[in-house]
Amino acid sequence: MNVIVFASRKGGSGKSTLAAHLAAQIKASKSCLLIDADPQGSLTLWHKLRGTNEPPIKTAVNSVSGIVAAARREGVEWVLIDTPPTVSAVVEDAIKNATMVIIPARPGVFDVNAVQETIQTCRAARKPYAVVLNGAPARRDEAESPIVTIAREALAKFKAPVWGGQITNRADLLMALGQGEGVREYYAEGRAAAEIARLWAAIERSVKAIRGTVSSNGTMHKQAA
Ligand SMILES: Nc1ncnc2c1ncn2[C@@H]1O[C@H](COP(=O)(O)OP(=O)(O)OP(=O)(O)O)[C@@H](O)[C@H]1O
Ligand SMILES: [Mg+2]
């Protein structure tokens, strides 16, 4: 079983958004459980709007360990955990249970700076992690926006592994959430769906490398040390 934790100290970086879209992506082929460990309940709201109970969701308050252990016993393949923008016991507990931590960050100076705390938590727990640039300006003529390049340079200074792709700021992502859908369900041929699919492929590749089933060449994560 693989546990992907979405964590970042910065509110609004895209933890709940990525968790929801990726859950809908996974659900198409594999068994998946969502855990909403954020009292704000964004993921729970999306799940209510969805109205199908697919994938199932559980709420965690102080700890996720019991829910994760039960999911393991039940043979769930993927567990996705959304966490609050705090440094709290439940975030630490989620990271302890992680196969890999995804740290979404918008490409702004305050946002990039704020990833450091979460990186420290991952390093302390010796967990693989990767930063995912989210809400980025669209690429033009195949070139990424200067602000994304600057963000990558700043993250390189922290020696933080960063996904080579980006999740662009797109209305489709919001529209889909409002209907309780993943963007693939909302508009499968769109660019937002392609980016989410690419992110999912990168996560799968990293998790296989973490599990030792493929070489780690070209993966986005870094084994925290
Ligand atoms: N790539 C994107 N394109 C368009 N809108 C986005 C994108 N990413 C996030 N948003 C929107 O930005 C807002 C904040 O995102 P989200 O709630 O996912 O952040 P979060 O990290 O979960 O925040 P919190 O820490 O408060 O839980 C939401 O309205 C979300 O739908
Ligand atoms: Mg959230």
Side-chain angles (χ1 to χ4, degrees):
M1 187 179 79
N2 303 305
V3 180
I4 308 298
V5 172
F6 298 83
S8 112
R9 180 73 182 77
K10 190 86 181 155
S13 57
K15 297 176 287 294
S16 306
T17 299
L18 295 185
H21 288 294
L22 289 169
Q25 176 86 23
I26 297 171
K27 189 226 99 197
S29 57
K30 309 219 162 76
S31 73
C32 173
L33 172 71
L34 286 171
I35 302 179
D36 190 354
D38 184 355
Q40 274 185 104
S42 307
L43 203 56
T44 306
L45 172 60
W46 172 76
H47 193 264
K48 275 205 189 107
L49 291 168
R50 193 167 174 78
T52 63
N53 201 33
E54 262 310 312
I57 193 167
K58 293 209 180 326
T59 309
V61 182
N62 295 314
S63 151
V64 299
S65 293
I67 301 173
V68 170
R72 197 181 301 280
R73 284 194 299 273
E74 286 161 20
V76 172
E77 279 179 83
W78 292 89
V79 176
L80 267 53
I81 307 180
D82 187 23
T83 67
T86 54
V87 177
S88 58
V90 76
V91 178
E92 290 213 1
D93 186 53
I95 290 177
K96 260 187 221 145
N97 278 280
T99 309
M100 180 178 180
V101 180
I102 298 294
I103 308 174
R106 289 180 182 260
V109 61
F110 300 151
D111 308 76
V112 165
N113 197 55
V115 301
Q116 290 180 84
E117 253 173 299
T118 313
I119 289 173
Q120 285 310 331
T121 313
C122 295
R123 287 184 178 154
R126 306 184 71 81
K127 290 295 177 178
Y129 62 93
V131 177
V132 169
L133 289 169
N134 175 46
R139 296 169 69 100
R140 292 209 174 165
D141 302 328
E142 295 307 303
E144 70 183 13
S145 154
I147 188 133
V148 174
T149 308
I150 291 167
R152 289 192 194 283
E153 285 164 6
L155 288 161
K157 287 195 189 117
F158 308 152
K159 300 201 181 337
V162 185
W163 179 44
Q166 67 171 47
I167 301 295
T168 304
N169 195 344
R170 294 193 194 277
D172 276 6
L173 292 168
L174 283 172
M175 295 294 284
L177 293 181
Q179 298 188 14
E181 290 180 336
V183 72
R184 174 201 171 116
E185 295 157 328
Y186 178 76
Y187 180 36
E189 292 77 30
R191 290 181 183 172
E195 287 179 353
I196 292 290
R198 230 172 280 144
L199 174 59
W200 172 241
I203 292 173
E204 270 197 309
R205 209 162 42 241
S206 269
V207 164
K208 277 186 186 152
I210 291 162
R211 299 258 172 238
T213 49
V214 297
S215 103
S216 60
N217 283 349
T219 56
M220 64 168 172
H221 74 286
K222 180 157 165 184
Q223 198 78 34

